[in-house]
Amino acid sequence: GNSVTQMEGPVTLSEEAFLTINCTYTATGYPSLFWYVQYPGEGLQLLLKATKADDKGSNKGFEATYRKETTSFHLEKGSVQVSDSAVYFCALRGGNTGKLIFGQGTTLQVKP
Amino acid sequence: DAGVIQSPRHEVTEMGQEVTLRCKPISGHNSLFWYRQTMMRGLELLIYFNNNVPIDDSGMPEDRFSAKMPNASFSTLKIQPSEPRDSAVYFCASSQDRAVLDEQFFGPGTRLTVL
């Protein structure tokens, strides 16, 4: 079945550091891929998405590229801010379904 | 737009009691999703509806859980009887359609504690 695996957290960085959160997936066919972010005490928000191989999703300085050959969708940001501290979820949706499969989440803590 | 509305935001109850969680999706959205989030199991899809019809309830843990969507603007998730292991944050989300590109919008969640 479909599944998503994220790097374990927590990830602790200093402000302005480079961020990478790894995400790999297992799926049949051609899933759509997503990154969601959850700030403390809130629900999840869509951060970015990509629907086909080599697509790059981007938003708020975050980027992720859909790599079919490595079944990956790693999240990157060149310079993190304290306000980026949150839990980040990688997710996929396959086939003609609205069902999202989430990874376990990675906590990011950015220190001033 | 008010976003997805969930109530209550916090619920503390005793084992064996009935618990009802409520959700109002974004107006015009026709898909609704219930998720459960715990430290141990992460974020799990419990059930989702499209046009008020349950499409996939394979994530519902057991018969103690039931969900309804009587109309396009309201859904409930009921646990009867509740158990301590049901303690979690329950999220409701809605989207405009099942189409591939559609974003799911999440509510703020209901934090349930079963003593």
Side-chain angles (χ1 to χ4, degrees), chain A residues 32 38 49 51 93 97-98, chain B residues 37 48 56 100-102 104:
Chain A
S32 295
Q38 183 179 29
K49 61 188 176 186
T51 58
R93 181 164 57 203
T97 171
Chain B
Q37 185 179 37
Y48 82 92
D56 183 346
V100 166
L101 291 178
D102 284 337
Q104 290 187 20

Side-chain angles (χ1 to χ4, degrees), chain A residues 65-83:
Chain A
T65 301
Y66 189 141
R67 300 287 187 199
K68 189 166 177 59
E69 64 276 14
T70 54
T71 62
S72 65
F73 193 54
H74 304 322
L75 182 68
E76 296 181 337
K77 186 174 185 181
S79 176
V80 294
Q81 305 300 311
V82 173
S83 57

Side-chain angles (χ1 to χ4, degrees), chain B:
Chain B
D1 195 329
V4 176
I5 298 172
Q6 291 187 246
S7 64
R9 292 295 308 276
H10 302 274
E11 176 80 31
V12 180
T13 191
E14 292 187 347
M15 182 174 62
Q17 296 298 307
E18 177 179 297
V19 175
T20 299
L21 310 182
R22 297 172 175 81
C23 175
K24 176 178 170 56
I26 292 172
S27 177
H29 284 190
N30 61 1
S31 288
L32 183 140
F33 308 81
W34 282 102
Y35 292 90
R36 178 173 67 178
Q37 185 179 37
T38 61
M39 289 295 292
M40 290 297 294
R41 300 176 67 89
L43 195 62
E44 306 171 277
L45 177 67
L46 300 177
I47 185 171
Y48 82 92
F49 296 84
N50 183 254
N51 291 325
N52 312 337
V53 176
I55 302 300
D56 183 346
D57 65 355
S58 59
M60 294 287 265
E62 48 196 276
D63 291 346
R64 297 185 298 106
F65 285 70
S66 63
K68 294 182 179 180
M69 191 163 186
N71 57 63
S73 59
F74 184 65
S75 177
T76 59
L77 178 67
K78 185 177 294 186
I79 308 172
Q80 167 63 17
S82 58
E83 297 182 2
R85 60 192 168 118
D86 301 330
S87 298
V89 180
Y90 291 81
F91 288 103
C92 176
S94 70
S95 68
Q96 194 161 5
D97 201 277
R98 284 188 295 166
V100 166
L101 291 178
D102 284 337
E103 174 183 352
Q104 290 187 20
F105 292 82
F106 281 73
T110 295
R111 181 173 295 276
L112 173 65
T113 303
V114 183
L115 303 175

Side-chain angles (χ1 to χ4, degrees), chain A:
Chain A
N2 295 343
S3 66
V4 176
T5 302
Q6 292 180 232
M7 65 185 288
E8 291 204 14
V11 174
T12 302
L13 296 173
S14 297
E15 206 165 22
E16 299 184 0
F18 184 86
L19 168 71
T20 300
I21 300 178
N22 290 338
C23 171
T24 57
Y25 67 90
T26 301
T28 55
Y30 302 93
S32 295
L33 302 174
F34 306 81
W35 276 101
Y36 278 79
V37 58
Q38 183 179 29
Y39 298 104
E42 298 182 10
L44 280 69
Q45 304 172 26
L46 179 65
L47 181 59
L48 53 83
K49 61 188 176 186
T51 58
K52 61 183 187 295
D54 300 326
D55 267 2
K56 178 185 284 187
S58 61
N59 185 26
K60 299 180 181 179
F62 291 89
E63 292 183 341
T65 301
Y66 189 141
R67 300 287 187 199
K68 189 166 177 59
E69 64 276 14
T70 54
T71 62
S72 65
F73 193 54
H74 304 322
L75 182 68
E76 296 181 337
K77 186 174 185 181
S79 176
V80 294
Q81 305 300 311
V82 173
S83 57
D84 294 327
S85 298
V87 182
Y88 292 81
F89 292 89
C90 185
L92 71 80
R93 181 164 57 203
N96 185 27
T97 171
K99 184 174 181 176
L100 282 172
I101 307 297
F102 285 92
Q104 66 269 38
T106 302
T107 299
L108 170 66
Q109 184 177 19
V110 180
K111 296 185 175 181

